[in-house]
Amino acid sequence: MMTRQEKGLWATVIVLTAGVLVMGSYMLFSGEGPRASSPSGNGPSPAVATIQDKAITEDEWVRELKKRYGHDMLMTILNRKAVALEAEARGIDVTKPELEAEIDMMSRAYGSKERFFAEMESQLGISEEELRIETTYRLLLEKIATADVHIDEQQIDSYLKQYPDQFRPKKQLNLSMIEVASEAEANQVMDRLEAGEDFADLAAEVSLDEYTRGDGGKIGLVEEDDPFVPSELMEAALTLEAGDIAGPIRLEDNYAIVYVEEIVEPKVPSEESIRESVRKQLALEQSISLTELEERLREKYEARIVASTVTL
């Protein structure tokens, strides 16, 4: 069972990981990291690591990084500079309120920005600062892509009529569960919980669900209609208050006990914010892809890689 949080994390990996990795390489090669050669320019470079009595030199380290990530790093730098030049020429920028609004939307499925940043850091190693840098760049690229696309109010009205709930957040529940093979076993688990045993400890001990057992039965924060949560489990959870436990719950093959740790009622965005989100989505659908835009901007501003070992 993959929670909505996990799906969001994997989607974010696709968007951000390459950029974050490349930014680290950029720091290394631009002089903000260790030097790429010895201070004197002569002789072996200093050791950065050792194994038994053999040193791994700074030159070896940098050479391997260039081999693996050098092309992507150079392309990212060229993209950043080309987009910055185009934004300056068009008088386009990303304001702080726009960045905060985008992060609010990205973090909606996590219940709060604090939880979102913590998940990005703990599961992906992406810091809040890195996330803000990448999000700002993406927003700037989207603004350039849609600068000449006009979306009228009737198009927005039509979209909202067809998809009335797409941009309206739903109730979220932070759930844990214990899955067992029979109703009798489920009743035994309920008896132990009523006697004061810890839910997470019991889940680790008896739950059959391999995806949640190792984390004390934790499913995580999910929306009320999450298709990856068994409907019977969600129906029972929606009748509970935060802190409540219910069971046995008949699933397709087994039985479950559910624990509602937290209920989050997300802030409803303003009508103006919803319409602006629709406007941007429709505009992006009519514009060229962001990857193609980067390529065109590199050509426009005559981006060239001159290193003999790297090609565009």
Side-chain angles (χ1 to χ4, degrees), residues 247-282:
I249 301 164
R250 184 73 171 95
L251 303 180
E252 184 176 348
D253 297 316
N254 295 316
Y255 286 81
I257 295 92
V258 65
Y259 166 44
V260 180
E261 181 178 345
E262 176 187 16
I263 298 174
V264 178
E265 298 281 359
K267 180 182 177 182
V268 178
S270 67
E271 191 66 25
E272 179 184 359
S273 174
I274 291 173
R275 294 185 70 83
E276 187 55 38
S277 294
V278 174
R279 188 189 309 278
K280 184 171 81 168
Q281 179 169 312
L282 294 176

PDB file of all heavy atoms in Angstrom, residues 247-282:
ATOM      1  N   GLY A 247     -12.293  -1.461  15.562  1.00  0.00           N
ATOM      2  CA  GLY A 247     -12.075  -2.772  14.984  1.00  0.00           C
ATOM      3  C   GLY A 247     -12.960  -3.796  15.684  1.00  0.00           C
ATOM      4  O   GLY A 247     -13.573  -3.479  16.712  1.00  0.00           O
ATOM      5  N   PRO A 248     -13.044  -5.014  15.182  1.00  0.00           N
ATOM      6  CA  PRO A 248     -12.460  -5.479  13.928  1.00  0.00           C
ATOM      7  C   PRO A 248     -13.176  -4.894  12.704  1.00  0.00           C
ATOM      8  O   PRO A 248     -14.387  -4.670  12.737  1.00  0.00           O
ATOM      9  CB  PRO A 248     -12.655  -6.996  13.980  1.00  0.00           C
ATOM     10  CG  PRO A 248     -13.015  -7.313  15.393  1.00  0.00           C
ATOM     11  CD  PRO A 248     -13.708  -6.101  15.920  1.00  0.00           C
ATOM     12  N   ILE A 249     -12.431  -4.672  11.634  1.00  0.00           N
ATOM     13  CA  ILE A 249     -12.959  -4.189  10.370  1.00  0.00           C
ATOM     14  C   ILE A 249     -12.704  -5.265   9.330  1.00  0.00           C
ATOM     15  O   ILE A 249     -11.568  -5.675   9.119  1.00  0.00           O
ATOM     16  CB  ILE A 249     -12.282  -2.866   9.942  1.00  0.00           C
ATOM     17  CG1 ILE A 249     -12.484  -1.791  11.009  1.00  0.00           C
ATOM     18  CG2 ILE A 249     -12.813  -2.404   8.591  1.00  0.00           C
ATOM     19  CD1 ILE A 249     -11.548  -0.615  10.853  1.00  0.00           C
ATOM     20  N   ARG A 250     -13.769  -5.727   8.678  1.00  0.00           N
ATOM     21  CA  ARG A 250     -13.628  -6.786   7.671  1.00  0.00           C
ATOM     22  C   ARG A 250     -13.060  -6.196   6.389  1.00  0.00           C
ATOM     23  O   ARG A 250     -13.637  -5.297   5.797  1.00  0.00           O
ATOM     24  CB  ARG A 250     -14.989  -7.418   7.387  1.00  0.00           C
ATOM     25  CG  ARG A 250     -14.919  -8.598   6.409  1.00  0.00           C
ATOM     26  CD  ARG A 250     -14.317  -9.810   7.089  1.00  0.00           C
ATOM     27  NE  ARG A 250     -14.438 -11.000   6.262  1.00  0.00           N
ATOM     28  CZ  ARG A 250     -13.479 -11.448   5.432  1.00  0.00           C
ATOM     29  NH1 ARG A 250     -12.341 -10.773   5.331  1.00  0.00           N
ATOM     30  NH2 ARG A 250     -13.645 -12.556   4.753  1.00  0.00           N
ATOM     31  N   LEU A 251     -11.900  -6.712   5.965  1.00  0.00           N
ATOM     32  CA  LEU A 251     -11.314  -6.328   4.689  1.00  0.00           C
ATOM     33  C   LEU A 251     -11.606  -7.431   3.670  1.00  0.00           C
ATOM     34  O   LEU A 251     -12.340  -8.379   3.958  1.00  0.00           O
ATOM     35  CB  LEU A 251      -9.802  -6.123   4.838  1.00  0.00           C
ATOM     36  CG  LEU A 251      -9.353  -5.096   5.887  1.00  0.00           C
ATOM     37  CD1 LEU A 251      -7.828  -4.996   5.914  1.00  0.00           C
ATOM     38  CD2 LEU A 251      -9.969  -3.729   5.617  1.00  0.00           C
ATOM     39  N   GLU A 252     -11.038  -7.299   2.490  1.00  0.00           N
ATOM     40  CA  GLU A 252     -11.319  -8.279   1.441  1.00  0.00           C
ATOM     41  C   GLU A 252     -10.885  -9.680   1.853  1.00  0.00           C
ATOM     42  O   GLU A 252     -11.621 -10.656   1.652  1.00  0.00           O
ATOM     43  CB  GLU A 252     -10.601  -7.867   0.153  1.00  0.00           C
ATOM     44  CG  GLU A 252     -10.918  -8.772  -1.031  1.00  0.00           C
ATOM     45  CD  GLU A 252     -10.275  -8.288  -2.323  1.00  0.00           C
ATOM     46  OE1 GLU A 252      -9.778  -7.145  -2.343  1.00  0.00           O
ATOM     47  OE2 GLU A 252     -10.266  -9.066  -3.290  1.00  0.00           O
ATOM     48  N   ASP A 253      -9.677  -9.773   2.431  1.00  0.00           N
ATOM     49  CA  ASP A 253      -9.156 -11.098   2.811  1.00  0.00           C
ATOM     50  C   ASP A 253      -8.945 -11.263   4.313  1.00  0.00           C
ATOM     51  O   ASP A 253      -8.992 -12.383   4.819  1.00  0.00           O
ATOM     52  CB  ASP A 253      -7.816 -11.358   2.105  1.00  0.00           C
ATOM     53  CG  ASP A 253      -7.958 -11.395   0.588  1.00  0.00           C
ATOM     54  OD1 ASP A 253      -8.917 -12.016   0.116  1.00  0.00           O
ATOM     55  OD2 ASP A 253      -7.111 -10.782  -0.089  1.00  0.00           O
ATOM     56  N   ASN A 254      -8.680 -10.153   5.013  1.00  0.00           N
ATOM     57  CA  ASN A 254      -8.324 -10.231   6.422  1.00  0.00           C
ATOM     58  C   ASN A 254      -9.195  -9.303   7.258  1.00  0.00           C
ATOM     59  O   ASN A 254     -10.227  -8.814   6.798  1.00  0.00           O
ATOM     60  CB  ASN A 254      -6.839  -9.880   6.594  1.00  0.00           C
ATOM     61  CG  ASN A 254      -5.934 -10.905   5.923  1.00  0.00           C
ATOM     62  OD1 ASN A 254      -6.151 -12.100   6.043  1.00  0.00           O
ATOM     63  ND2 ASN A 254      -4.921 -10.427   5.210  1.00  0.00           N
ATOM     64  N   TYR A 255      -8.727  -9.043   8.480  1.00  0.00           N
ATOM     65  CA  TYR A 255      -9.397  -8.115   9.382  1.00  0.00           C
ATOM     66  C   TYR A 255      -8.390  -7.055   9.827  1.00  0.00           C
ATOM     67  O   TYR A 255      -7.185  -7.297   9.844  1.00  0.00           O
ATOM     68  CB  TYR A 255      -9.961  -8.854  10.602  1.00  0.00           C
ATOM     69  CG  TYR A 255     -11.195  -9.669  10.299  1.00  0.00           C
ATOM     70  CD1 TYR A 255     -11.084 -10.930   9.719  1.00  0.00           C
ATOM     71  CD2 TYR A 255     -12.469  -9.167  10.565  1.00  0.00           C
ATOM     72  CE1 TYR A 255     -12.204 -11.681   9.418  1.00  0.00           C
ATOM     73  CE2 TYR A 255     -13.606  -9.926  10.271  1.00  0.00           C
ATOM     74  CZ  TYR A 255     -13.469 -11.163   9.693  1.00  0.00           C
ATOM     75  OH  TYR A 255     -14.581 -11.906   9.391  1.00  0.00           O
ATOM     76  N   ALA A 256      -8.915  -5.883  10.202  1.00  0.00           N
ATOM     77  CA  ALA A 256      -8.019  -4.793  10.575  1.00  0.00           C
ATOM     78  C   ALA A 256      -8.547  -4.038  11.785  1.00  0.00           C
ATOM     79  O   ALA A 256      -9.743  -4.055  12.094  1.00  0.00           O
ATOM     80  CB  ALA A 256      -7.839  -3.829   9.405  1.00  0.00           C
ATOM     81  N   ILE A 257      -7.613  -3.387  12.462  1.00  0.00           N
ATOM     82  CA  ILE A 257      -7.906  -2.406  13.508  1.00  0.00           C
ATOM     83  C   ILE A 257      -7.285  -1.101  13.039  1.00  0.00           C
ATOM     84  O   ILE A 257      -6.146  -1.087  12.571  1.00  0.00           O
ATOM     85  CB  ILE A 257      -7.308  -2.827  14.869  1.00  0.00           C
ATOM     86  CG1 ILE A 257      -7.975  -4.104  15.387  1.00  0.00           C
ATOM     87  CG2 ILE A 257      -7.470  -1.703  15.882  1.00  0.00           C
ATOM     88  CD1 ILE A 257      -7.243  -5.361  14.971  1.00  0.00           C
ATOM     89  N   VAL A 258      -8.023  -0.013  13.128  1.00  0.00           N
ATOM     90  CA  VAL A 258      -7.526   1.279  12.656  1.00  0.00           C
ATOM     91  C   VAL A 258      -7.410   2.248  13.818  1.00  0.00           C
ATOM     92  O   VAL A 258      -8.245   2.263  14.725  1.00  0.00           O
ATOM     93  CB  VAL A 258      -8.441   1.866  11.554  1.00  0.00           C
ATOM     94  CG1 VAL A 258      -9.828   2.186  12.092  1.00  0.00           C
ATOM     95  CG2 VAL A 258      -7.806   3.103  10.933  1.00  0.00           C
ATOM     96  N   TYR A 259      -6.347   3.053  13.765  1.00  0.00           N
ATOM     97  CA  TYR A 259      -6.105   4.089  14.771  1.00  0.00           C
ATOM     98  C   TYR A 259      -6.008   5.424  14.050  1.00  0.00           C
ATOM     99  O   TYR A 259      -5.201   5.595  13.141  1.00  0.00           O
ATOM    100  CB  TYR A 259      -4.801   3.780  15.517  1.00  0.00           C
ATOM    101  CG  TYR A 259      -4.246   4.917  16.359  1.00  0.00           C
ATOM    102  CD1 TYR A 259      -5.074   5.682  17.183  1.00  0.00           C
ATOM    103  CD2 TYR A 259      -2.888   5.206  16.341  1.00  0.00           C
ATOM    104  CE1 TYR A 259      -4.567   6.708  17.947  1.00  0.00           C
ATOM    105  CE2 TYR A 259      -2.355   6.231  17.122  1.00  0.00           C
ATOM    106  CZ  TYR A 259      -3.204   6.986  17.914  1.00  0.00           C
ATOM    107  OH  TYR A 259      -2.696   8.000  18.683  1.00  0.00           O
ATOM    108  N   VAL A 260      -6.857   6.376  14.466  1.00  0.00           N
ATOM    109  CA  VAL A 260      -6.840   7.718  13.883  1.00  0.00           C
ATOM    110  C   VAL A 260      -6.008   8.610  14.806  1.00  0.00           C
ATOM    111  O   VAL A 260      -6.483   9.052  15.848  1.00  0.00           O
ATOM    112  CB  VAL A 260      -8.265   8.286  13.721  1.00  0.00           C
ATOM    113  CG1 VAL A 260      -8.203   9.686  13.119  1.00  0.00           C
ATOM    114  CG2 VAL A 260      -9.104   7.374  12.846  1.00  0.00           C
ATOM    115  N   GLU A 261      -4.786   8.856  14.403  1.00  0.00           N
ATOM    116  CA  GLU A 261      -3.892   9.655  15.238  1.00  0.00           C
ATOM    117  C   GLU A 261      -4.225  11.138  15.169  1.00  0.00           C
ATOM    118  O   GLU A 261      -4.122  11.856  16.166  1.00  0.00           O
ATOM    119  CB  GLU A 261      -2.447   9.435  14.793  1.00  0.00           C
ATOM    120  CG  GLU A 261      -1.427  10.202  15.626  1.00  0.00           C
ATOM    121  CD  GLU A 261      -0.007   9.921  15.193  1.00  0.00           C
ATOM    122  OE1 GLU A 261       0.217   8.940  14.463  1.00  0.00           O
ATOM    123  OE2 GLU A 261       0.893  10.678  15.596  1.00  0.00           O
ATOM    124  N   GLU A 262      -4.646  11.596  13.983  1.00  0.00           N
ATOM    125  CA  GLU A 262      -4.834  13.037  13.774  1.00  0.00           C
ATOM    126  C   GLU A 262      -5.810  13.241  12.623  1.00  0.00           C
ATOM    127  O   GLU A 262      -5.851  12.460  11.675  1.00  0.00           O
ATOM    128  CB  GLU A 262      -3.473  13.661  13.437  1.00  0.00           C
ATOM    129  CG  GLU A 262      -3.478  15.136  13.099  1.00  0.00           C
ATOM    130  CD  GLU A 262      -2.111  15.601  12.623  1.00  0.00           C
ATOM    131  OE1 GLU A 262      -1.253  14.746  12.271  1.00  0.00           O
ATOM    132  OE2 GLU A 262      -1.901  16.822  12.578  1.00  0.00           O
ATOM    133  N   ILE A 263      -6.606  14.293  12.707  1.00  0.00           N
ATOM    134  CA  ILE A 263      -7.489  14.696  11.614  1.00  0.00           C
ATOM    135  C   ILE A 263      -7.130  16.128  11.232  1.00  0.00           C
ATOM    136  O   ILE A 263      -7.077  17.010  12.093  1.00  0.00           O
ATOM    137  CB  ILE A 263      -8.976  14.605  12.016  1.00  0.00           C
ATOM    138  CG1 ILE A 263      -9.343  13.158  12.352  1.00  0.00           C
ATOM    139  CG2 ILE A 263      -9.866  15.140  10.894  1.00  0.00           C
ATOM    140  CD1 ILE A 263     -10.751  12.992  12.888  1.00  0.00           C
ATOM    141  N   VAL A 264      -6.865  16.345   9.949  1.00  0.00           N
ATOM    142  CA  VAL A 264      -6.458  17.663   9.465  1.00  0.00           C
ATOM    143  C   VAL A 264      -7.526  18.201   8.530  1.00  0.00           C
ATOM    144  O   VAL A 264      -7.880  17.555   7.538  1.00  0.00           O
ATOM    145  CB  VAL A 264      -5.108  17.599   8.720  1.00  0.00           C
ATOM    146  CG1 VAL A 264      -4.724  18.971   8.184  1.00  0.00           C
ATOM    147  CG2 VAL A 264      -4.018  17.052   9.642  1.00  0.00           C
ATOM    148  N   GLU A 265      -8.035  19.364   8.862  1.00  0.00           N
ATOM    149  CA  GLU A 265      -8.991  20.065   7.995  1.00  0.00           C
ATOM    150  C   GLU A 265      -8.205  21.155   7.268  1.00  0.00           C
ATOM    151  O   GLU A 265      -7.953  22.219   7.830  1.00  0.00           O
ATOM    152  CB  GLU A 265     -10.126  20.670   8.817  1.00  0.00           C
ATOM    153  CG  GLU A 265     -10.982  19.672   9.575  1.00  0.00           C
ATOM    154  CD  GLU A 265     -11.999  18.981   8.688  1.00  0.00           C
ATOM    155  OE1 GLU A 265     -12.046  19.307   7.486  1.00  0.00           O
ATOM    156  OE2 GLU A 265     -12.742  18.123   9.200  1.00  0.00           O
ATOM    157  N   PRO A 266      -7.780  20.907   6.024  1.00  0.00           N
ATOM    158  CA  PRO A 266      -6.928  21.879   5.331  1.00  0.00           C
ATOM    159  C   PRO A 266      -7.638  23.205   5.103  1.00  0.00           C
ATOM    160  O   PRO A 266      -8.861  23.272   4.978  1.00  0.00           O
ATOM    161  CB  PRO A 266      -6.612  21.193   3.993  1.00  0.00           C
ATOM    162  CG  PRO A 266      -6.941  19.756   4.206  1.00  0.00           C
ATOM    163  CD  PRO A 266      -8.047  19.737   5.210  1.00  0.00           C
ATOM    164  N   LYS A 267      -6.837  24.250   5.046  1.00  0.00           N
ATOM    165  CA  LYS A 267      -7.353  25.568   4.741  1.00  0.00           C
ATOM    166  C   LYS A 267      -7.853  25.600   3.305  1.00  0.00           C
ATOM    167  O   LYS A 267      -7.160  25.170   2.383  1.00  0.00           O
ATOM    168  CB  LYS A 267      -6.254  26.616   4.940  1.00  0.00           C
ATOM    169  CG  LYS A 267      -6.694  28.035   4.649  1.00  0.00           C
ATOM    170  CD  LYS A 267      -5.530  29.008   4.835  1.00  0.00           C
ATOM    171  CE  LYS A 267      -5.942  30.428   4.465  1.00  0.00           C
ATOM    172  NZ  LYS A 267      -4.796  31.373   4.600  1.00  0.00           N
ATOM    173  N   VAL A 268      -9.055  26.096   3.110  1.00  0.00           N
ATOM    174  CA  VAL A 268      -9.638  26.160   1.766  1.00  0.00           C
ATOM    175  C   VAL A 268      -9.080  27.383   1.044  1.00  0.00           C
ATOM    176  O   VAL A 268      -9.156  28.501   1.553  1.00  0.00           O
ATOM    177  CB  VAL A 268     -11.179  26.256   1.831  1.00  0.00           C
ATOM    178  CG1 VAL A 268     -11.764  26.365   0.427  1.00  0.00           C
ATOM    179  CG2 VAL A 268     -11.746  25.039   2.561  1.00  0.00           C
ATOM    180  N   PRO A 269      -8.474  27.200  -0.146  1.00  0.00           N
ATOM    181  CA  PRO A 269      -7.934  28.358  -0.870  1.00  0.00           C
ATOM    182  C   PRO A 269      -9.044  29.285  -1.328  1.00  0.00           C
ATOM    183  O   PRO A 269     -10.193  28.868  -1.504  1.00  0.00           O
ATOM    184  CB  PRO A 269      -7.206  27.715  -2.061  1.00  0.00           C
ATOM    185  CG  PRO A 269      -7.841  26.381  -2.232  1.00  0.00           C
ATOM    186  CD  PRO A 269      -8.256  25.941  -0.866  1.00  0.00           C
ATOM    187  N   SER A 270      -8.691  30.525  -1.531  1.00  0.00           N
ATOM    188  CA  SER A 270      -9.673  31.500  -1.997  1.00  0.00           C
ATOM    189  C   SER A 270     -10.104  31.191  -3.421  1.00  0.00           C
ATOM    190  O   SER A 270      -9.395  30.510  -4.173  1.00  0.00           O
ATOM    191  CB  SER A 270      -9.078  32.910  -1.939  1.00  0.00           C
ATOM    192  OG  SER A 270      -8.022  33.034  -2.879  1.00  0.00           O
ATOM    193  N   GLU A 271     -11.261  31.710  -3.808  1.00  0.00           N
ATOM    194  CA  GLU A 271     -11.743  31.528  -5.171  1.00  0.00           C
ATOM    195  C   GLU A 271     -10.752  32.117  -6.175  1.00  0.00           C
ATOM    196  O   GLU A 271     -10.504  31.545  -7.241  1.00  0.00           O
ATOM    197  CB  GLU A 271     -13.113  32.190  -5.335  1.00  0.00           C
ATOM    198  CG  GLU A 271     -13.828  31.839  -6.634  1.00  0.00           C
ATOM    199  CD  GLU A 271     -14.230  30.371  -6.719  1.00  0.00           C
ATOM    200  OE1 GLU A 271     -14.394  29.746  -5.656  1.00  0.00           O
ATOM    201  OE2 GLU A 271     -14.377  29.874  -7.853  1.00  0.00           O
ATOM    202  N   GLU A 272     -10.164  33.237  -5.811  1.00  0.00           N
ATOM    203  CA  GLU A 272      -9.172  33.874  -6.681  1.00  0.00           C
ATOM    204  C   GLU A 272      -7.965  32.961  -6.875  1.00  0.00           C
ATOM    205  O   GLU A 272      -7.446  32.819  -7.996  1.00  0.00           O
ATOM    206  CB  GLU A 272      -8.729  35.208  -6.077  1.00  0.00           C
ATOM    207  CG  GLU A 272      -7.681  35.936  -6.891  1.00  0.00           C
ATOM    208  CD  GLU A 272      -7.194  37.209  -6.214  1.00  0.00           C
ATOM    209  OE1 GLU A 272      -7.694  37.528  -5.114  1.00  0.00           O
ATOM    210  OE2 GLU A 272      -6.320  37.875  -6.790  1.00  0.00           O
ATOM    211  N   SER A 273      -7.511  32.326  -5.795  1.00  0.00           N
ATOM    212  CA  SER A 273      -6.372  31.422  -5.872  1.00  0.00           C
ATOM    213  C   SER A 273      -6.688  30.207  -6.731  1.00  0.00           C
ATOM    214  O   SER A 273      -5.848  29.759  -7.528  1.00  0.00           O
ATOM    215  CB  SER A 273      -5.959  30.988  -4.468  1.00  0.00           C
ATOM    216  OG  SER A 273      -4.958  30.006  -4.517  1.00  0.00           O
ATOM    217  N   ILE A 274      -7.889  29.663  -6.576  1.00  0.00           N
ATOM    218  CA  ILE A 274      -8.299  28.507  -7.378  1.00  0.00           C
ATOM    219  C   ILE A 274      -8.329  28.868  -8.854  1.00  0.00           C
ATOM    220  O   ILE A 274      -7.819  28.126  -9.707  1.00  0.00           O
ATOM    221  CB  ILE A 274      -9.678  28.001  -6.919  1.00  0.00           C
ATOM    222  CG1 ILE A 274      -9.568  27.377  -5.521  1.00  0.00           C
ATOM    223  CG2 ILE A 274     -10.237  26.983  -7.917  1.00  0.00           C
ATOM    224  CD1 ILE A 274     -10.890  26.986  -4.907  1.00  0.00           C
ATOM    225  N   ARG A 275      -8.885  30.016  -9.176  1.00  0.00           N
ATOM    226  CA  ARG A 275      -8.976  30.435 -10.582  1.00  0.00           C
ATOM    227  C   ARG A 275      -7.590  30.662 -11.175  1.00  0.00           C
ATOM    228  O   ARG A 275      -7.339  30.335 -12.344  1.00  0.00           O
ATOM    229  CB  ARG A 275      -9.847  31.690 -10.711  1.00  0.00           C
ATOM    230  CG  ARG A 275     -11.306  31.471 -10.342  1.00  0.00           C
ATOM    231  CD  ARG A 275     -12.148  32.711 -10.591  1.00  0.00           C
ATOM    232  NE  ARG A 275     -12.321  32.984 -12.010  1.00  0.00           N
ATOM    233  CZ  ARG A 275     -13.238  32.400 -12.784  1.00  0.00           C
ATOM    234  NH1 ARG A 275     -14.071  31.497 -12.269  1.00  0.00           N
ATOM    235  NH2 ARG A 275     -13.343  32.709 -14.053  1.00  0.00           N
ATOM    236  N   GLU A 276      -6.692  31.193 -10.387  1.00  0.00           N
ATOM    237  CA  GLU A 276      -5.332  31.411 -10.877  1.00  0.00           C
ATOM    238  C   GLU A 276      -4.624  30.079 -11.128  1.00  0.00           C
ATOM    239  O   GLU A 276      -3.860  29.933 -12.092  1.00  0.00           O
ATOM    240  CB  GLU A 276      -4.540  32.254  -9.879  1.00  0.00           C
ATOM    241  CG  GLU A 276      -3.170  32.687 -10.374  1.00  0.00           C
ATOM    242  CD  GLU A 276      -3.216  33.423 -11.700  1.00  0.00           C
ATOM    243  OE1 GLU A 276      -4.152  34.223 -11.932  1.00  0.00           O
ATOM    244  OE2 GLU A 276      -2.296  33.188 -12.517  1.00  0.00           O
ATOM    245  N   SER A 277      -4.876  29.087 -10.271  1.00  0.00           N
ATOM    246  CA  SER A 277      -4.294  27.758 -10.481  1.00  0.00           C
ATOM    247  C   SER A 277      -4.814  27.133 -11.771  1.00  0.00           C
ATOM    248  O   SER A 277      -4.059  26.511 -12.524  1.00  0.00           O
ATOM    249  CB  SER A 277      -4.624  26.845  -9.289  1.00  0.00           C
ATOM    250  OG  SER A 277      -4.002  27.298  -8.116  1.00  0.00           O
ATOM    251  N   VAL A 278      -6.108  27.306 -12.025  1.00  0.00           N
ATOM    252  CA  VAL A 278      -6.695  26.781 -13.261  1.00  0.00           C
ATOM    253  C   VAL A 278      -6.108  27.508 -14.465  1.00  0.00           C
ATOM    254  O   VAL A 278      -5.759  26.892 -15.479  1.00  0.00           O
ATOM    255  CB  VAL A 278      -8.229  26.926 -13.250  1.00  0.00           C
ATOM    256  CG1 VAL A 278      -8.816  26.512 -14.601  1.00  0.00           C
ATOM    257  CG2 VAL A 278      -8.834  26.085 -12.138  1.00  0.00           C
ATOM    258  N   ARG A 279      -5.985  28.825 -14.341  1.00  0.00           N
ATOM    259  CA  ARG A 279      -5.425  29.614 -15.444  1.00  0.00           C
ATOM    260  C   ARG A 279      -4.021  29.108 -15.815  1.00  0.00           C
ATOM    261  O   ARG A 279      -3.690  28.917 -16.984  1.00  0.00           O
ATOM    262  CB  ARG A 279      -5.373  31.090 -15.056  1.00  0.00           C
ATOM    263  CG  ARG A 279      -4.982  32.029 -16.211  1.00  0.00           C
ATOM    264  CD  ARG A 279      -4.740  33.448 -15.710  1.00  0.00           C
ATOM    265  NE  ARG A 279      -5.836  33.937 -14.889  1.00  0.00           N
ATOM    266  CZ  ARG A 279      -6.960  34.451 -15.389  1.00  0.00           C
ATOM    267  NH1 ARG A 279      -7.112  34.549 -16.695  1.00  0.00           N
ATOM    268  NH2 ARG A 279      -7.902  34.886 -14.574  1.00  0.00           N
ATOM    269  N   LYS A 280      -3.208  28.890 -14.789  1.00  0.00           N
ATOM    270  CA  LYS A 280      -1.842  28.433 -15.055  1.00  0.00           C
ATOM    271  C   LYS A 280      -1.836  27.044 -15.664  1.00  0.00           C
ATOM    272  O   LYS A 280      -1.075  26.776 -16.601  1.00  0.00           O
ATOM    273  CB  LYS A 280      -1.023  28.450 -13.764  1.00  0.00           C
ATOM    274  CG  LYS A 280       0.435  28.079 -13.998  1.00  0.00           C
ATOM    275  CD  LYS A 280       1.296  28.298 -12.776  1.00  0.00           C
ATOM    276  CE  LYS A 280       1.207  27.185 -11.797  1.00  0.00           C
ATOM    277  NZ  LYS A 280       2.260  27.259 -10.742  1.00  0.00           N
ATOM    278  N   GLN A 281      -2.660  26.157 -15.163  1.00  0.00           N
ATOM    279  CA  GLN A 281      -2.695  24.801 -15.696  1.00  0.00           C
ATOM    280  C   GLN A 281      -3.110  24.796 -17.160  1.00  0.00           C
ATOM    281  O   GLN A 281      -2.481  24.116 -17.987  1.00  0.00           O
ATOM    282  CB  GLN A 281      -3.659  23.937 -14.880  1.00  0.00           C
ATOM    283  CG  GLN A 281      -3.767  22.504 -15.404  1.00  0.00           C
ATOM    284  CD  GLN A 281      -4.505  21.600 -14.444  1.00  0.00           C
ATOM    285  OE1 GLN A 281      -4.224  21.585 -13.249  1.00  0.00           O
ATOM    286  NE2 GLN A 281      -5.449  20.836 -14.949  1.00  0.00           N
ATOM    287  N   LEU A 282      -4.153  25.556 -17.501  1.00  0.00           N
ATOM    288  CA  LEU A 282      -4.610  25.615 -18.885  1.00  0.00           C
ATOM    289  C   LEU A 282      -3.561  26.246 -19.791  1.00  0.00           C
ATOM    290  O   LEU A 282      -3.348  25.807 -20.928  1.00  0.00           O
ATOM    291  CB  LEU A 282      -5.926  26.400 -18.981  1.00  0.00           C
ATOM    292  CG  LEU A 282      -7.135  25.749 -18.307  1.00  0.00           C
ATOM    293  CD1 LEU A 282      -8.341  26.670 -18.379  1.00  0.00           C
ATOM    294  CD2 LEU A 282      -7.447  24.401 -18.953  1.00  0.00           C
TER     295      LEU A 282
END
